[in-house]
Amino acid sequence: EVTVVENGGGLVQVGSSLTLSCSISGATLNEYAIGWFRQAPGKEREEVSCFCKKIGSTYIADSVRGRFTVSNDNSKNMVFLQMTSLEFEDTAVYTCAASRINSCPIPLTYSRGSYYLTGSWGQGTQVTVSS
């Protein structure tokens, strides 16, 4: 079972930058697609980025394109989400996911209030953008 750990959330000001990191263990980036999702209170979970090394695919959501980029360090099995020009609307819990289905975006199912994928979720990290 792959384990997913995020780091890098925090409280930042509007217009600033922040980088989140996602580290997987028990597998490599060659085996799993890595997605960054975010969810704000009262809103649906949104996939903001995805990186799939196996098929050479990268996905960035329209809502963050031009401000967020994704990069990776294969030697450390890590994926990074670089966020710039942060806005109030970027405030959310950001969760990294490792999907056994190698595609971007990562397919999710929703049932009884929870989101499911073929893989593992991280614990999530809070990003709060303030004035």
Side-chain angles (χ1 to χ4, degrees):
E1 181 75 13
V2 63
T3 302
V4 181
V5 177
E6 308 101 333
N7 279 293
L11 175 64
V12 296
Q13 291 187 322
V14 170
S16 62
S17 300
L18 191 66
T19 296
L20 305 181
S21 67
C22 176
S23 176
I24 68 169
S25 59
T28 70
L29 295 184
N30 289 311
E31 301 170 83
Y32 283 79
I34 306 299
W36 279 103
F37 295 79
R38 69 182 182 183
Q39 189 166 15
K43 295 189 176 181
E44 294 183 353
R45 185 164 293 190
E46 176 190 18
E47 184 170 5
V48 296
S49 76
C50 178
F51 170 75
C52 185
K53 184 175 185 296
K54 187 171 184 177
I55 63 172
S57 177
T58 301
Y59 164 82
I60 299 290
D62 289 344
S63 59
V64 301
R65 187 171 293 122
R67 299 188 300 118
F68 290 13
T69 58
V70 62
S71 62
N72 62 287
D73 185 335
N74 293 330
S75 67
K76 297 180 180 179
N77 289 317
M78 295 183 71
V79 174
F80 305 93
L81 181 67
Q82 290 105 355
M83 306 183 292
T84 64
S85 301
L86 283 163
E87 303 169 352
F88 292 122
E89 292 73 22
D90 296 319
T91 295
V93 175
Y94 286 71
T95 306
C96 184
S99 171
R100 198 66 180 89
I101 298 176
N102 283 284
S103 68
C104 285
I106 290 173
L108 297 183
T109 56
Y110 180 80
S111 176
R112 298 181 180 180
S114 296
Y115 291 89
Y116 298 91
L117 77 161
T118 304
S120 298
W121 293 101
Q123 78 282 3
T125 186
Q126 177 71 45
V127 173
T128 302
V129 183
S130 67
S131 58

